[in-house]
Amino acid sequence: MIAFIASAVFCFVLWLLLTFNGRMWGTDEIIAGIVMAAIAGFAARKIFVKDFKLANPKRWIFFLAYLPRFFFEMAKANFDVAYRVLTGRIRPGIVKISPGLKTDLAITVLANSITLTPGTLSVDVDEERNLYVHWINVKDEVLEKMPRECRPICSTFPDWARRIGE
Amino acid sequence: MMWEILYIFLGVGIFFNLLGSLGLLRFPDVYTRLHAGTKCTTFGSISICLAVIGYGLWKWYEGDKQMITMAIHSFIALVAILLTNPTGAHAIARAAHRSGVKPAKAVVDDLEEEKND
């Protein structure tokens, strides 16, 4: 029931945003929005709401604090990839990292962050939540030890993912 | 002044989208091409979206009330790009590896070793 209400409210807010045209909404628009939001919320309630972790405001504050750093890393990533596109200097490989995260939400945040930041692309994940990362410029010092170090690959992202997702 | 800022954003966006397309042509295999496809096009599209949002808000501030629609819609498109682009790339990379595509010129492949054990 709570899942249904949360998804319906989310859909209704999205409807209001999409139909806003500088003036107030008409009554007909709002009624149509409520009907549509109820239908969509009922259909999507099991996809949108798996558990109630995201209801904790602490996670949202950490997420907002994470965004500026994430965008900075992303801008850096783009110059790095631009350099490799123009020069063709690549040394690719797939490495396994064990960030030690416990929840699916945390590993999702981490995998998406890894894909959008310097020279790394998450390929697969196994049952123990180890990530397999395609790295475009493999460094030699990481290859020496078998439990690979996280730091050269994804800097401090596992810590942020832990704060947001656990 | 406002126009120049918007032109800079548009220029950056077009430049990075161009680099993304170039990367698709230059890189040797599917994984490295995904690097170009996700990073460059995400950044380029975000930059173009920011230019459109800026233009919409500016015109809205000057009195054309309809323009806020454009800004809101571009913002939702931006969020959708940020969420779906890495997920799609992840799905393609995983499917490629499962169907047996080896990373070209790879110096290490932990996932392949894991499967053989």
Side-chain angles (χ1 to χ4, degrees), chain A residues 13-166:
Chain A
V13 170
L14 205 60
W15 170 281
L16 290 184
L17 280 177
L18 281 171
T19 52
F20 186 61
N21 59 358
R23 274 169 277 119
M24 280 309 289
W25 300 273
T27 324
D28 50 344
E29 267 180 346
I30 288 187
I31 291 171
I34 289 172
V35 173
M36 285 298 167
I39 296 171
F42 184 75
R45 68 191 191 285
K46 282 181 186 143
I47 304 166
F48 280 168
V49 185
K50 292 249 165 51
D51 48 36
F52 295 97
K53 282 209 205 78
L54 282 177
N56 186 343
K58 196 185 83 193
R59 292 176 202 285
W60 288 95
I61 293 167
F62 274 129
F63 182 69
L64 290 179
Y66 172 56
L67 277 182
R69 183 175 155 75
F70 172 69
F71 274 106
F72 176 69
E73 290 285 342
M74 207 174 97
K76 246 175 40 186
N78 281 283
F79 287 104
D80 182 70
V81 173
Y83 167 76
R84 296 194 191 287
V85 168
L86 293 175
T87 59
R89 242 175 245 165
I90 51 171
R91 197 162 177 269
I94 295 180
V95 293
K96 173 187 180 181
I97 56 169
S98 313
L101 298 171
K102 286 189 214 62
T103 61
D104 283 344
L105 178 65
I107 203 77
T108 312
V109 171
L110 179 64
N112 279 1
S113 307
I114 281 178
T115 299
L116 285 173
T117 48
T120 47
L121 176 80
S122 42
V123 175
D124 209 342
V125 60
D126 64 12
E127 284 79 28
E128 287 99 49
R129 296 198 178 78
N130 300 318
L131 274 178
Y132 296 90
V133 177
H134 183 272
W135 198 7
I136 206 166
N137 188 31
V138 177
K139 288 186 190 125
D140 280 324
E141 70 253 30
V142 180
L143 289 182
E144 286 157 11
K145 276 176 280 177
M146 189 41 214
R148 314 279 191 212
E149 274 189 73
C150 284
R151 264 197 110 66
I153 301 172
C154 47
S155 62
T156 55
F157 289 145
D159 302 333
W160 283 101
R162 188 169 296 124
R163 276 172 224 152
I164 294 170
E166 278 179 12

Side-chain angles (χ1 to χ4, degrees), chain B residues 4-14 44 46-48 50-52:
Chain B
E4 281 82 0
I5 296 172
L6 294 180
Y7 277 136
I8 288 171
F9 271 112
L10 277 181
V12 168
I14 292 168
I46 284 175
S47 186
I48 292 175
L50 283 180
V52 175

